[in-house]
Amino acid sequence: MPRLLAFDTSTEHLSVAVRHGERLFTHSGAGGAQASSTLIPLILQLLAEAGLELAALDAIAFGRGPGSFTGLRTACSVAQGLAFGAGVPLLPVDTLLAVAEEARHAFGARQVVAVLDARMDQLYAARYDFDGGGALGGADSEPLLLAPEALEVPAGWSLAGNAFAAYGPRLAPAAARHEVLPTATAMLRLAPALLAAGRTVDAAHAWPLYVRDKVAQTTDERAAIKAAALAGPPVANQS
């Protein structure tokens, strides 16, 4: 059993976990703006509880994205700093894969469309099939950025993530829904297959996966969205 550290700060939730043999040490709590100041102390605390030094780790897994720009930069920079100092390889994990794995583990979902709220009236989304793709879900596509109404969920597939409160019935209303987040424990469950697939990188080659190339809407974009919402759906032509 590999000795592993994993953490994710891609959402407003911070998740850290350490595996040492059969023992698992975890922390979860508020993330967001606090993550940059609390992540390293939490990592050191869990490593101390596990009786592990950084250099004794086989790999450090981190949520590479997509997700919050600030959260992804925090996770990647902390992972790089720890890896450089300890000489440990990094294991970047797609946050949407971690969402799908959490739905598989918690609810038995085998075919999952994973979604994360991207704000700005958009979602990050990807499909994972644990029946046809093995332990890593065999992603059907690269992560996408799209409007809630544009998301397609195949019949019989489940929807999993954190976007349901924000988008409600706009988001595949007929699909089964599982409210889950990308957790560090999900990354630890994925890690053996990722390690076997040779997915580790050295610290110099670890990068966030942003998907979106802009952080915020312009004033004109916000005004257009507000005007469209106030106008309501288009009225069918009766002629």
Side-chain angles (χ1 to χ4, degrees):
M1 185 75 70
R3 293 161 295 187
L4 299 167
L5 162 67
F7 49 87
D8 181 79
T9 58
S10 64
T11 69
E12 294 299 311
H13 180 84
L14 181 151
S15 179
V16 187
V18 172
R19 178 172 293 284
H20 187 188
E22 296 296 330
R23 295 185 298 163
L24 183 65
F25 303 83
T26 66
H27 172 88
S28 61
Q34 304 176 53
S36 60
S37 61
T38 60
L39 180 56
I40 291 178
L42 286 168
I43 288 171
L44 296 178
Q45 177 186 327
L46 287 186
L47 286 171
E49 292 176 10
L52 278 174
E53 298 289 336
L54 271 171
L57 293 169
D58 294 300
I60 297 171
F62 71 97
R64 72 168 188 147
S68 155
F69 276 53
T70 300
L72 299 186
R73 287 195 294 268
T74 295
C76 188
S77 61
V78 168
Q80 286 177 317
L82 296 176
F84 272 127
V88 174
L90 292 180
L91 189 62
V93 182
D94 288 2
T95 49
L96 291 167
L97 173 58
V99 166
E101 163 56 24
E102 193 65 17
R104 184 206 64 79
H105 179 75
F107 299 101
R110 305 292 302 178
Q111 294 175 309
V112 181
V113 179
V115 295
L116 287 171
D117 185 4
R119 308 293 177 87
M120 296 169 62
D121 214 41
Q122 292 179 310
L123 303 165
Y124 299 116
R127 296 181 186 178
Y128 298 92
D129 185 351
F130 291 99
D131 286 332
L136 297 179
D140 284 6
S141 65
E142 292 297 314
L144 302 174
L145 178 69
L146 68 171
E149 293 86 354
L151 182 69
E152 296 182 0
V153 180
W157 284 54
S158 298
L159 192 58
N162 71 345
F164 309 125
Y167 301 115
R170 298 172 60 195
L171 185 60
R177 298 183 173 197
H178 305 302
E179 185 81 36
V180 295
L181 291 168
T183 65
T185 50
M187 293 179 185
L188 291 182
R189 290 192 298 271
L190 291 164
L194 289 168
L195 290 170
R199 302 287 182 86
T200 57
V201 299
D202 62 37
H205 296 98
W207 300 101
L209 175 64
Y210 290 124
V211 179
R212 171 188 282 153
D213 60 3
K214 59 186 275 187
V215 179
Q217 293 163 327
T218 65
T219 300
D220 288 344
E221 287 170 334
R222 290 196 298 271
I225 291 172
K226 183 177 180 180
L230 292 174
V235 177
N237 190 336
Q238 301 298 316
S239 60

